[in-house]
Amino acid sequence: MFHHSGSQTSLPAFALWCLLTCQCAIISAYSHMILTVTNLSSSRSSGGRLHHDYTMTTHEEDLRIPEGFWEQPLTARQLQDFTECPHKFLLSQFVQREQVRRFLGGPAALHHALRTAIVQFYQKQRSAEDAQTILIDLFEDTWDGSLCTDSMEEETLHSQGRQILREFVDGWIGAEHQVLHTDLQLTEQIGQGRFASVADLVFADEEDTGAVQIVRLNSSRRPPSQRELGSDLSAGLLWLLATGHFAPRQVRVGYYCLRPGRLTTYELSPVEQEQLRETLSARVTRMRREVDFEPQKGSQCRWCRVRNRCRAWKR
């Protein structure tokens, strides 16, 4: 029981308030990264998003788009960064992959370990009979608790990861058909830009002619709804590139939400497809014309991974 005297809060109650405030902040951050962490699933080499590391060799005020940038395909993450804040987009080109993972912290560590374990399990065409043991072993090989805030978060997320994989085995392994691809990079030229997205898993009814199921893994506590996926740029780009890549085969696209173990599928109507193509083309045009890359302060700054380098916060 906690006691209050007038407007003053007792020390135990104050400590509880601080704890709850921190927890709310963490939950808010986790919700903010519903698709951000999931969309780290975009690079074979890093187990994360498509990422090209450049070195910052000049003063921030003189930074420019790195040489060779436009020779690489664009990701939804880069487009989102530019839309939120051109300066964030520019600075992000000079942030190393490990710095991004450390900024995202425990949720990124959990997602990375889960995704790696599941993708490697299917890559090696392992038997469903020993799936639970194999998946947990793969998870342990990848898990990096040093990214967590403290030992309590590390222990909690590590335990959750193991439980998620046990539930994944019970609810998914053996239920799908042949694994056609894992960690498949999809690219397509749209207007002035070339775009890329990654499918974590691709299942097929038959080798050449059957329907194809595209799966992206999601480890958020609050998995995205079908409506959210339908309006999300990264999910839309995945759908657009996947259906184009496997045409004329029937293609189903979905996010497999590891919590609570459910596949959420979505699709784009012909009108939505055209609107998305127009959006992608327009954003690339703006990016190519941008010169100043001025920072834009807003709510997104709270969770910005390059805020410590941003001149808007150094004044």
Side-chain angles (χ1 to χ4, degrees):
M1 182 177 296
F2 302 99
H3 302 281
H4 301 272
S5 177
S7 61
Q8 295 181 342
T9 304
S10 64
L11 183 59
F14 180 73
L16 178 61
W17 177 84
C18 290
L19 177 61
L20 292 175
T21 300
C22 292
Q23 289 177 334
C24 289
I26 292 171
I27 292 171
S28 177
Y30 211 106
S31 298
H32 178 77
M33 296 185 291
I34 288 173
L35 300 181
T36 301
V37 172
T38 299
N39 295 337
L40 288 169
S41 313
S42 300
S43 170
R44 295 188 191 90
S45 60
S46 65
R49 67 184 175 88
L50 284 165
H51 192 114
H52 309 288
D53 292 333
Y54 302 104
T55 303
M56 185 180 290
T57 58
T58 187
H59 294 294
E60 180 188 328
E61 292 76 8
D62 300 321
L63 286 179
R64 295 291 181 268
I65 292 293
E67 183 179 352
F69 174 83
W70 291 109
E71 297 173 7
Q72 306 293 339
L74 292 168
T75 66
R77 177 65 175 274
Q78 291 169 322
L79 296 174
Q80 290 169 335
D81 282 350
F82 181 81
T83 301
E84 285 184 354
C85 173
H87 199 59
K88 173 184 178 181
F89 160 75
L90 180 63
L91 290 179
S92 294
Q93 308 315 310
F94 303 93
V95 177
Q96 303 298 305
R97 283 187 294 266
E98 188 60 25
Q99 289 177 293
V100 174
R101 290 188 65 224
R102 288 196 173 277
F103 174 81
L104 294 174
L110 177 62
H111 181 77
H112 177 68
L114 289 170
R115 178 186 184 275
T116 300
I118 293 171
V119 169
Q120 287 185 357
F121 174 85
Y122 281 105
Q123 281 176 342
K124 298 175 182 179
Q125 300 285 332
R126 296 299 185 89
S127 169
E129 183 178 348
D130 300 319
Q132 181 171 306
T133 300
I134 295 170
L135 279 167
I136 290 179
D137 286 345
L138 291 170
F139 174 81
E140 295 291 355
D141 289 342
T142 310
W143 170 251
D144 183 3
S146 67
L147 297 180
C148 296
T149 304
D150 51 38
S151 59
M152 181 178 295
E153 183 186 46
E154 178 181 358
E155 181 179 350
T156 298
L157 292 180
H158 179 260
S159 176
Q160 288 176 358
R162 294 172 64 94
Q163 181 60 33
I164 286 170
L165 289 175
R166 285 191 285 267
E167 293 172 356
F168 179 75
V169 171
D170 294 337
W172 178 268
I173 296 293
E176 284 298 317
H177 298 286
Q178 178 179 344
V179 180
L180 193 60
H181 299 286
T182 59
D183 208 8
L184 176 65
Q185 180 175 324
L186 305 163
T187 61
E188 182 179 331
Q189 184 76 28
I190 301 175
Q192 296 184 56
R194 186 162 185 79
F195 298 89
S197 185
V198 165
D200 294 338
L201 303 170
V202 180
F203 297 98
D205 291 334
E206 298 175 17
E207 181 68 31
D208 299 318
T209 60
V212 175
Q213 174 70 67
I214 307 294
V215 175
R216 177 171 284 172
L217 300 169
N218 177 280
S219 59
S220 171
R221 281 185 179 278
R222 190 181 74 81
S225 65
Q226 186 177 62
R227 187 173 187 177
E228 287 172 324
L229 290 175
S231 60
D232 179 72
L233 182 63
S234 182
L237 184 61
L238 174 63
W239 194 95
L240 205 61
L241 271 54
T243 52
H245 180 85
F246 288 103
R249 298 173 72 170
Q250 179 186 357
V251 179
R252 298 186 297 269
V253 184
Y255 276 46
Y256 187 84
C257 304
L258 293 163
R259 294 186 283 188
R262 180 179 67 240
L263 180 66
T264 301
T265 59
Y266 61 100
E267 62 180 39
L268 302 182
S269 68
V271 172
E272 290 171 329
Q273 294 175 46
E274 186 59 30
Q275 290 175 341
L276 178 55
R277 289 180 180 276
E278 291 176 357
T279 296
L280 294 171
S281 296
R283 292 193 186 184
V284 170
T285 299
R286 284 183 55 203
M287 291 168 70
R288 286 183 175 274
R289 291 176 179 174
E290 184 63 51
V291 175
D292 298 326
F293 295 95
E294 288 295 322
Q296 295 179 2
K297 280 191 172 183
S299 59
Q300 75 278 0
C301 295
R302 186 177 185 183
W303 309 113
C304 179
R305 61 190 177 279
V306 293
R307 176 172 168 171
N308 64 328
R309 298 186 180 188
C310 180
R311 63 174 180 264
W313 291 94
K314 292 180 179 179
R315 296 167 184 169

